[in-house]
Amino acid sequence: MASSKLPVLVLPHPLILLPTSRFTVPVSQSIGEAILALIDESDALPVLAAIPLVNPSSEDKSPVLSEWGTAARVLRLARPTLRNPRQPYLVSLHGLTRIRLIAASNTNSLPPELATDLSLQEIEYPPTERIPSRETVDKFRHSALRLLDRLAKDSTQHARKETYQKIAGMLEDITSSRAPWMADVLVGSIDGEYADKLAILSTPDTEARLTLATDIFLKQTSISEVSKKIATAVDESLSKQQKEFFLRQQLAAITRELQALTRSNGTSSGVSPGTPSDNSSSSELDDDEQHEADDMADLKRRIEAMEVGSEERKMGVREWRRLKRIPQGSVEHGVIRSYVRIFDLLACMTINHPGLQLEWLSSIPWPNAVSLSSEVQSPQPIKDKSFLTAARVQLDADHFGLEKIKKRLIEYLAVVRLKELNAERDSREEEARKQ
């Protein structure tokens, strides 16, 4: 390998400059002034060693410099404006070829001098690239064409589609010697993972690089196809609901227009609205849209008639808002309407006839309900010695667990029983004194 010395520019994570690629990266003031000095000193555009970081800098781990980078030519350097002197310098780079940083192979961390300034470091150029085999080139071409076709189908911009189609045309006629160059172009152009781009940069062998690029393209194609399939399924579901809602709205509008036309024809011919016509018969089952509107208006009036600030009004307003957001054909729409009507019925019972609400609730056949007559006929004697034991047995039969609650209930019943016994004893003593 031929060796040389180049000023090293550390690229911030996760930026990677591949050969043939171009991008603009912000740099600090010290590095920007060092690049400006290089431009002033050299007759041609200077060349830097653009080295990426393997991992981002954090408190736990120090940044690690990659062993492989790219010799890049400085195309342009933009200084910050006088209005915003705190803005960074912007340097435009063009990747030329792969290089190996010798200092990075001997250490695992970023040298301190490279973090704040451009310093000359010894680098090595890889040997002349050999021509890959025909089989490897064919596999690479097939995977690249498949990826470009998928990207062209997924792209919404016409210019980007044309770019993918032009690259696909170039791939059809590319020679084996130019295939590694095309691999760098495509990997640098697609929105791939950082680890994949770093692996391509760190592979100087053309045969291995094409094989790696083939695997990357197949993976990207699979990801794109699955993402497109999921997005299409979601869009179809949404469009189906939207189409149903749109058709229902159209159907309602057509029904209203037909009814208005029928009424206007009946009025102009002298037929009263209540008299059935010979040509058409009207029924209360026909005007579903009008009945629906009347039903909703009646429900709204019932909610507005509730006492302002009451709990039932708050509940009714909340359910009304939910009802307005749900389509009429939904099952939940009917459930909420029935719920609001029952709630309004209970509220009216409470306001007008307080006893009716309890009567209505007691008439519902609740599970394990005991009729009032049977309870009166066989009352449980609280003064009986076996009352607490029977209460505990009944609690264990009806409820599993809840030991603390059962104990508290038994204590309460014991206190009630004791009060009854004391009251009975005091009553007997009072009667004895009177006698």
Side-chain angles (χ1 to χ4, degrees):
M1 291 186 179
S3 60
S4 178
K5 284 189 176 183
L6 287 177
V8 174
L9 173 64
V10 179
L11 300 177
H13 190 275
L15 291 181
I16 291 182
L17 179 66
L18 291 174
T20 71
S21 298
R22 296 187 182 189
F23 65 54
T24 301
V25 59
V27 294
S28 63
Q29 182 179 359
S30 59
I31 295 179
E33 292 177 352
I35 296 176
L36 183 60
L38 288 177
I39 295 175
D40 294 337
E41 293 173 1
S42 59
D43 297 333
L45 295 176
V47 176
L48 305 176
I51 309 296
L53 292 175
V54 176
N55 62 326
S57 58
S58 61
E59 297 179 357
D60 301 335
K61 297 181 180 179
S62 58
V64 178
L65 203 61
S66 173
E67 182 180 357
W68 288 88
T70 304
R73 190 180 302 279
V74 178
L75 301 180
R76 184 173 177 268
L77 180 66
R79 298 180 181 179
T81 59
L82 296 177
R83 295 181 179 179
N84 298 315
R86 296 183 179 179
Q87 287 184 347
Y89 283 74
L90 298 176
V91 57
S92 299
L93 303 175
H94 176 212
L96 300 177
T97 184
R98 283 172 176 76
I99 56 172
R100 177 177 172 270
L101 185 63
I102 298 178
S105 60
N106 299 328
T107 181
N108 292 327
S109 60
L110 176 65
E113 64 273 9
L114 295 180
T116 57
D117 196 6
L118 295 178
S119 62
L120 289 175
Q121 298 289 332
E122 189 173 358
I123 56 99
E124 289 181 348
Y125 292 96
T128 305
E129 295 182 346
R130 61 186 182 90
I131 300 176
S133 63
R134 190 67 184 176
E135 181 182 0
T136 306
V137 174
D138 291 339
K139 291 181 179 179
F140 163 75
R141 182 186 292 112
H142 176 73
S143 62
L145 288 174
R146 183 181 171 187
L147 175 61
L148 290 172
D149 180 66
R150 171 52 57 185
L151 293 176
K153 290 180 179 179
D154 295 344
S155 179
T156 57
Q157 300 179 2
H158 182 68
R160 191 177 292 273
K161 284 186 178 182
E162 289 185 349
T163 302
Y164 291 140
Q165 292 173 358
K166 289 180 180 179
I167 297 176
M170 294 172 59
L171 271 172
E172 293 287 351
D173 302 329
I174 197 170
T175 60
S176 299
S177 59
R178 297 287 288 174
W181 169 82
M182 181 58 73
D184 290 335
V185 172
L186 291 178
V187 174
S189 301
I190 64 175
D191 187 15
E193 298 180 0
Y194 175 81
D196 294 338
K197 293 185 177 182
L198 185 61
I200 286 290
L201 180 63
S202 305
T203 308
D205 183 68
T206 55
E207 191 83 16
R209 194 192 315 160
L210 286 182
T211 303
L212 181 59
T214 301
D215 296 337
I216 293 173
F217 295 160
L218 292 176
K219 181 178 69 173
Q220 288 293 121
T221 305
S222 301
I223 294 174
S224 179
E225 290 176 351
V226 172
S227 302
K228 184 66 176 179
K229 189 178 296 184
I230 295 174
T232 303
V234 174
D235 291 341
E236 287 179 355
S237 178
L238 292 177
S239 61
K240 187 176 181 180
Q241 295 179 359
Q242 294 172 355
K243 183 178 180 181
E244 180 181 359
F245 176 76
F246 179 70
L247 291 177
R248 288 184 181 276
Q249 293 296 322
Q250 280 190 331
L251 180 61
I254 293 172
T255 304
R256 287 194 298 268
E257 293 296 330
L258 288 175
Q259 291 169 357
L261 184 61
T262 303
R263 286 194 295 268
S264 63
N265 291 337
T267 304
S268 61
S269 60
V271 180
S272 61
T275 305
S277 176
D278 296 337
N279 298 329
S280 62
S281 60
S282 61
S283 173
E284 65 274 8
L285 302 178
D286 295 337
D287 195 0
D288 294 339
E289 186 70 22
Q290 185 62 33
H291 289 170
E292 182 72 22
D294 295 342
D295 200 12
M296 294 292 289
D298 178 65
L299 195 62
K300 184 178 180 182
R301 285 193 298 269
R302 289 175 178 270
I303 297 175
E304 291 175 346
M306 295 179 183
E307 184 181 356
V308 178
S310 61
E311 292 297 328
E312 57 268 15
R313 185 183 177 94
K314 293 179 182 179
M315 181 70 71
V317 171
R318 185 181 67 183
E319 296 300 326
W320 172 264
R321 291 174 179 172
R322 288 184 58 198
L323 189 65
K324 295 294 288 183
R325 292 194 299 265
I326 298 175
Q328 295 181 0
S330 174
V331 177
E332 191 175 1
H333 188 275
V335 173
I336 294 177
R337 287 176 59 175
S338 301
Y339 174 73
V340 173
R341 288 191 177 279
I342 294 175
F343 198 81
D344 173 67
L345 178 61
L346 292 177
C348 293
M349 287 180 178
T350 306
I351 295 173
N352 300 328
H353 304 284
L356 286 180
Q357 183 178 7
L358 294 177
E359 181 181 353
W360 183 80
L361 288 174
S362 62
S363 64
I364 297 177
W366 301 102
N368 300 327
V370 179
S371 62
L372 185 60
S373 59
S374 61
E375 184 177 357
V376 172
Q377 293 174 2
S378 59
Q380 179 68 31
I382 195 171
K383 301 174 185 178
D384 190 0
K385 293 182 179 180
S386 62
F387 173 75
L388 297 179
T389 304
R392 178 67 191 204
V393 172
Q394 185 66 36
L395 287 174
D396 292 337
D398 293 341
H399 307 283
F400 176 78
L402 306 176
E403 294 298 329
K404 293 183 178 180
I405 299 175
K406 293 177 181 178
K407 183 179 179 181
R408 185 71 181 90
L409 289 173
I410 294 298
E411 290 176 354
Y412 172 75
L413 292 176
V415 172
V416 172
R417 180 175 180 275
L418 184 60
K419 287 182 179 180
E420 290 288 337
L421 293 176
N422 291 336
E424 184 181 2
R425 185 186 61 187
D426 294 340
S427 177
R428 287 198 302 266
E429 291 178 356
E430 184 69 23
E431 293 178 358
R433 284 196 299 268
K434 288 180 180 181
Q435 291 177 358

